[in-house]
Amino acid sequence: QVQLVESGGGLVQAGGSLRLSCAASGRTFSQCTMGWFRQVPGKEREFVARISRSGGSTYYADSVKGRFTISRDNAKNTVYLQMNSLKPEDTAVYSCAAVMTVYSHYDLSRAYEYDYWGQGTQVTVSS
């Protein structure tokens, strides 16, 4: 079992930056591939970024590539999402997610592939 708690959301002007954190409980964090997703009311949850267990491999949605950076600190059981050059269209509730068993057919950009979720943190970007 993994419990996830996000923090770091808030209100920021366009062009600004925020860093989200996701703290995980339990001793299995280093065994989990971690992802960030976001959702706005009335829309499906959207993949943002993911990071491998060791942190050596990352992958981003095209909409955030070059602006967002995902990282992790396994000693602190925490995954981060550094968000730069924020745009109003980045406004959403951001949630982190964890998956322990990655099957060969997973591409890890689909929400249903993840086992554990945080409650989310609101990010609002004003124009």
Side-chain angles (χ1 to χ4, degrees):
Q1 192 82 6
V2 178
Q3 293 184 325
L4 304 172
V5 179
E6 301 95 336
S7 61
L11 174 64
V12 64
Q13 288 189 331
S17 299
L18 281 175
R19 188 174 85 152
L20 306 183
S21 298
C22 171
S25 65
R27 291 183 282 181
T28 57
F29 177 75
S30 63
Q31 301 172 35
C32 293
T33 296
M34 300 298 296
W36 283 98
F37 288 76
R38 64 188 183 186
Q39 189 171 26
V40 297
K43 291 191 175 182
E44 290 189 0
R45 192 170 277 172
E46 177 190 16
F47 168 78
V48 175
R50 63 163 169 82
I51 188 166
S52 62
R53 297 169 181 176
S54 67
S57 175
T58 58
Y59 185 77
Y60 299 91
D62 288 342
S63 58
V64 306
K65 200 174 296 182
R67 300 188 298 121
F68 291 11
T69 302
I70 188 171
S71 61
R72 68 189 296 163
D73 186 337
N74 285 345
K76 295 182 178 180
N77 279 13
T78 302
V79 62
Y80 305 98
L81 186 68
Q82 178 67 45
M83 305 186 295
N84 299 329
S85 302
L86 282 161
K87 305 175 181 179
E89 52 263 43
D90 294 318
T91 295
V93 174
Y94 285 71
S95 299
C96 64
V99 54
M100 290 188 64
T101 302
V102 178
Y103 295 97
S104 59
H105 62 279
Y106 279 13
D107 71 4
L108 296 171
S109 64
R110 296 175 289 220
Y112 67 81
E113 294 171 333
Y114 290 79
D115 302 315
Y116 306 102
W117 291 84
Q119 82 289 349
T121 185
Q122 176 70 46
V123 171
T124 303
V125 184
S126 63
S127 57

